[in-house]
Amino acid sequence: MRDVLFLPLYENEELVIAADGSAAIGLKELDLVCASYETVSYFAARVALMEALCVGAEPLAAVLQNFNGDESWGALCAGVRQALLELSLSLPLVGSTESNFTTQQSAFGITVVGKVQNKQKRMGITPRHAKFAVIGEPLVGDEVLKKQDRLLPLPLFRQLLSRSEIFELVPIGSKGIWYELQQLLNDNGLTASSCYCPLPLHASAGPATSLLISFQPEMEEAIRKMTNRYFFPIEIVQ
């Protein structure tokens, strides 16, 4: 199952809710990864927005949960707006800040609310003859900051969303490529005993630094050309 909640809205439409959060990443003394709050919120927003967009949803609003003090609010909003800008989106932002108590480590959460027409839902539509690939490398923690040239850029993600030859797109999370591939296959009544990919199959992709896609086999060369050095094929073993 995807990390997205669907709730009935109207007869042919559903509410879509996607969320992400981070802890011990920020500017507090006990944080494990030092990063600006703009960077923290950018990558959290990236995950929640990608989750919603990948299932065909239209994002409507974002809700921020801030545990870093009032002084960080502006930077957190700026990071979310940067992610929106790279995706050519504009959403209202609302949220809350914990101002009664001071935390020892940074924490931030974001929830994206959207809607999707049932007929536009991009799930369970991968056919048996599809091929698979990973776009971008799995990175986590300091790697995300040090190797940004290896993670999937949001403008490229936006282009991939619009390609009809791509059946489904799945952001890769902390459980890695193999886990997400198994979930995608299961959703489509397919199976694999193992697979081969040039990337580590069980490495965390942190803030969705890489993306799993299923696509029409005859369009592989066009997708490779579009994604260039970010393209990593997956060979399924039945």
Side-chain angles (χ1 to χ4, degrees):
M1 296 293 291
R2 302 289 180 86
D3 294 330
V4 178
L5 176 65
F6 296 94
L7 297 172
L9 190 59
Y10 300 110
E11 183 178 354
N12 299 312
E13 193 171 51
E14 292 179 277
L15 194 67
V16 177
I17 301 173
D20 190 58
S22 66
I25 305 173
L27 299 174
K28 292 182 181 287
E29 186 177 353
L30 297 182
D31 284 339
L32 300 181
V33 176
C34 180
S36 71
Y37 288 124
E38 186 170 348
T39 298
V40 169
S41 63
Y42 169 83
F43 281 106
R46 168 193 177 97
V47 176
L49 288 165
M50 286 176 67
E51 290 281 6
L53 290 166
C54 280
V55 297
E58 173 194 352
L60 299 174
V63 185
L64 284 57
Q65 297 88 36
N66 172 28
F67 302 91
N68 309 307
D70 289 321
E71 66 278 5
S72 66
W73 181 257
L76 292 168
C77 289
V80 175
R81 291 194 178 100
Q82 179 59 36
L84 291 169
L85 178 65
E86 293 178 17
L87 290 168
S88 298
L89 295 172
S90 178
L91 300 182
L93 305 182
V94 69
S96 178
T97 296
E98 171 56 75
S99 55
N100 293 307
F101 302 99
T102 301
T103 59
Q104 297 291 309
Q105 292 178 303
S106 299
F108 174 73
I110 182 170
T111 301
V112 170
V113 180
K115 63 180 180 179
V116 64
Q117 296 285 331
N118 293 344
K119 62 182 179 181
Q120 294 177 342
K121 213 169 178 179
R122 207 166 184 173
M123 294 179 66
I125 58 172
T126 296
R128 187 169 296 276
H129 68 272
K131 295 194 72 172
F132 303 86
V134 175
I135 313 299
E137 298 184 32
L139 304 168
V140 69
D142 283 324
E143 291 179 325
V144 177
L145 303 178
K146 295 176 180 177
K147 302 177 181 179
Q148 293 198 34
D149 61 322
R150 300 186 188 181
L151 60 86
L152 169 67
L154 286 182
L156 176 57
F157 167 69
R158 183 165 51 86
Q159 292 180 47
L160 293 169
L161 279 173
S162 67
R163 300 296 293 244
S164 60
E165 66 268 27
I166 296 177
F167 300 115
E168 294 185 66
L169 309 92
V170 181
I172 298 172
S174 60
K175 295 180 181 178
I177 294 168
W178 176 237
Y179 174 83
E180 300 294 357
L181 177 61
Q182 287 182 304
Q183 299 304 302
L184 177 60
L185 292 172
N186 288 341
D187 287 346
N188 289 278
L190 306 173
T191 59
S193 60
S194 62
C195 73
Y196 169 77
C197 179
L199 299 170
L201 292 177
H202 302 286
S204 171
T209 61
S210 55
L211 181 75
L212 172 65
I213 63 170
S214 60
F215 59 91
Q216 295 176 6
E218 62 271 22
M219 297 303 295
E220 179 171 347
E221 191 56 38
I223 296 172
R224 279 180 179 269
K225 185 175 181 180
M226 175 195 298
T227 55
N228 202 345
R229 60 191 172 88
Y230 298 107
F231 185 94
F232 299 91
I234 294 178
E235 297 297 330
I236 299 289
V237 178
Q238 300 292 342

